[in-house]
Amino acid sequence: LSSCRNRLNATREVDPVALPNCRLIKGIEAGSEDIDILPNGLAFISSGLKYPGLKSLAPDKPGEIFLMDLNEKKPKASELRISRGFDLGSFNPHGISTYIDKDDTVYLFVVNHPHQKSTVELFKFMEEDNSLLHLKTIRHDLLTSVNDVVAVGPDSFYATNDHYFYDFILMFLEMYLGLTWSNVVYYSPKEVKEVAAGFYSANGINISPDKKYIYIADIFDHNVHVMEKHADWNLTHVKTLQLDTLADNLSVDPDTGDIWTGCHPNGMKLFYNDPDNPPASEVLRIQNILAEQPTVTRVYAENGSVLQGTSVATVYNRKLLIGTVYHRALYCEL
C-alpha cells in the first residue's frame, strides 16, 4: 500500500504561490479538464468529464466544449454548438487537441467516453458561426482507455491510454499493484500501432514546436518523458524529468517551447472527495526540458479553496488559463 500512496503523493501538502490578476471563468462549473489554444488566441475548453472514481458536479448533464477569445479585453467562455447527428446525450469529453491544415481548416480532436467506452471524435471548427461540425468517430482495439491526444495530421494523432483496464475496480487494482500497462498509440487511417509502453499511467501528451519531440506525462510516476519522433512515427526515449507532483495535461508555448502543466500535488485527495480537504492546485512551467538541468518553476499553487484538482495550464500572450478535472476554471493575466 505504501507504494500506492507514494504514487498518489498521499502525504504532500501545498505551499501556496499566488498570482495577483486572476478570476474564475463564468459559466464553467463542472470541469475544464483540457484546454487547447490556437495561434490566433481562440481557446477550446473541454468540460463535464465523468471519470470512474472521480466526482462530477453535474452528473446528469452531457459534456460540452467552450470557446474563449483571449484577444478580448475581458474574455468570456461560450458553449460551442455541435452539429446535428452527433450524440450529445452521451458526450463525455476528456483530452483535446487542435490541428490546423495547410488550407487553414481547424480540426478539433476530442477524447470521448460515451457509455464507459473510449472514442476519439473528430470535428471541424466553423469559425463563422462558432460551431463544431462532427466529421467522424474513431474507435480502435488499441484505443482502450484514452486520456489525451496530440494531433499530428488532419486525421492522425498520438493517444495515451492511461490504464489497461477501464473498469474502476480493475483500474484501482492496476494502480494498487503498480502495473505498468499503460501505453501510447499512434493512430492514422492507414496504420495504428503502439509506439511507447511501460507507463504507470500515461496522461497528458503534446509535441514540441519544431515537431521533433513528443512529451508524455506519467501522472503516477510523477514525471515527464521526452521522446524523439521518427519518420515512421515510432518514438524513442530521450530523457525523463522527475517532479514532486502528479503532472496531468501538458501544454507547449509555441513561442518559447516551454511546457506548462496542471498538476495534482496530492492525488489521494482527488479520490477521497472530502469537502473539508479538497484536492489542491498546482501549475508548473518547465523551461529547456532538453537541457542537462531544465528550469522548473511553480507559477501557481493553492490549497483547493479557489480551484480544485488542476489538470491543465496553458498560456497565450501573457494570459494563463488553468483548468480542472471536475471543478471551475481560472483566467489570469501574468
Side-chain angles (χ1 to χ4, degrees):
L1 181 64
S2 69
S3 71
C4 183
R5 285 178 61 87
N6 290 345
R7 275 195 291 285
L8 288 169
N9 238 16
T11 54
R12 181 159 173 223
E13 293 300 327
V14 68
D15 298 322
V17 178
L19 280 176
N21 306 312
C22 294
R23 61 176 171 84
L24 290 164
I25 298 169
K26 209 175 153 197
I28 298 181
E29 312 280 344
S32 41
E33 203 279 336
D34 201 7
I35 303 173
D36 204 2
I37 307 176
L38 293 174
N40 65 5
L42 290 180
F44 295 88
I45 303 169
S46 149
S47 180
L49 174 67
K50 290 126 198 106
Y51 190 84
L54 297 181
K55 82 173 179 189
S56 164
L57 296 178
D60 303 320
K61 192 177 173 206
E64 39 199 345
I65 303 289
F66 287 94
L67 186 72
M68 267 180 105
D69 184 349
L70 298 180
N71 299 296
E72 290 171 4
K73 198 118 193 120
K74 291 192 166 167
K76 293 183 189 63
S78 55
E79 187 189 347
L80 282 174
R81 219 168 37 80
I82 296 180
S83 61
R84 277 205 277 222
F86 178 71
D87 180 11
L88 279 174
S90 66
F91 190 38
N92 186 7
H94 201 161
I96 61 174
S97 179
T98 53
Y99 184 82
I100 303 173
D101 213 355
K102 294 179 186 66
D103 62 1
D104 289 336
T105 303
V106 175
Y107 295 99
L108 179 69
F109 294 72
V110 180
V111 177
N112 185 19
H113 301 293
H115 317 293
Q116 277 76 56
K117 305 256 188 306
S118 276
T119 63
V120 176
E121 310 295 345
L122 179 55
F123 298 96
K124 180 178 171 183
F125 174 53
M126 315 298 278
E127 194 162 1
E128 58 282 356
D129 66 346
N130 275 356
S131 69
L132 293 172
L133 175 66
H134 185 246
L135 301 177
K136 64 175 171 180
T137 296
I138 296 166
R139 298 182 183 82
H140 194 273
D141 289 345
L142 289 180
L143 300 173
T144 47
S145 178
V146 184
N147 184 301
D148 195 18
V149 287
V150 59
V152 290
D155 51 8
S156 58
F157 54 85
Y158 289 102
T160 56
N161 285 306
D162 55 12
H163 292 85
Y164 183 78
F165 300 109
Y166 196 71
D167 172 84
F168 177 60
I169 305 294
L170 292 173
M171 194 191 272
F172 187 79
L173 199 63
E174 187 180 334
M175 184 175 74
Y176 184 76
L177 295 173
L179 303 178
T180 51
W181 290 2
S182 158
N183 68 358
V184 176
V185 170
Y186 169 72
Y187 177 93
S188 72
K190 292 195 178 74
E191 180 184 33
V192 186
K193 60 185 177 181
E194 179 182 89
V195 288
F199 301 96
Y200 284 107
S201 185
N203 196 301
I205 186 166
N206 220 313
I207 192 167
S208 60
D210 64 9
K211 312 290 187 231
K212 287 183 184 165
Y213 299 97
I214 296 288
Y215 307 130
I216 301 154
D218 188 338
I219 190 165
F220 293 145
D221 212 13
H222 313 166
N223 56 28
V224 176
H225 295 258
V226 180
M227 315 289 275
E228 189 177 353
K229 176 170 78 68
H230 300 283
D232 60 5
W233 304 102
N234 285 336
L235 302 178
T236 49
H237 186 262
V238 176
K239 69 180 291 187
T240 303
L241 176 66
Q242 208 55 44
L243 305 165
D244 178 33
T245 191
L246 282 71
D248 197 320
N249 284 311
L250 305 174
S251 305
V252 178
D253 182 335
D255 301 325
T256 61
D258 296 351
I259 300 170
W260 291 71
T261 175
C263 306
H264 309 287
N266 180 330
M268 204 69 135
K269 295 185 183 185
L270 260 187
F271 293 99
Y272 268 10
N273 188 6
D274 173 356
D276 298 325
N277 191 7
S281 285
E282 187 168 43
V283 171
L284 300 183
R285 174 190 186 188
I286 302 166
Q287 293 165 278
N288 304 321
I289 193 160
L290 289 169
E292 192 72 34
Q293 292 287 320
T295 309
V296 180
T297 313
R298 296 173 72 231
V299 176
Y300 176 80
E302 90 69 52
N303 63 10
S305 56
V306 178
L307 211 57
Q308 300 178 15
T310 295
S311 54
V312 63
T314 181
V315 288
Y316 172 81
N317 245 352
R318 312 278 311 146
K319 292 163 185 179
L320 170 66
L321 288 180
I322 307 174
T324 62
V325 180
Y326 59 75
H327 194 235
R328 309 280 311 265
L330 202 64
Y331 167 82
C332 302
E333 290 176 358
L334 297 173

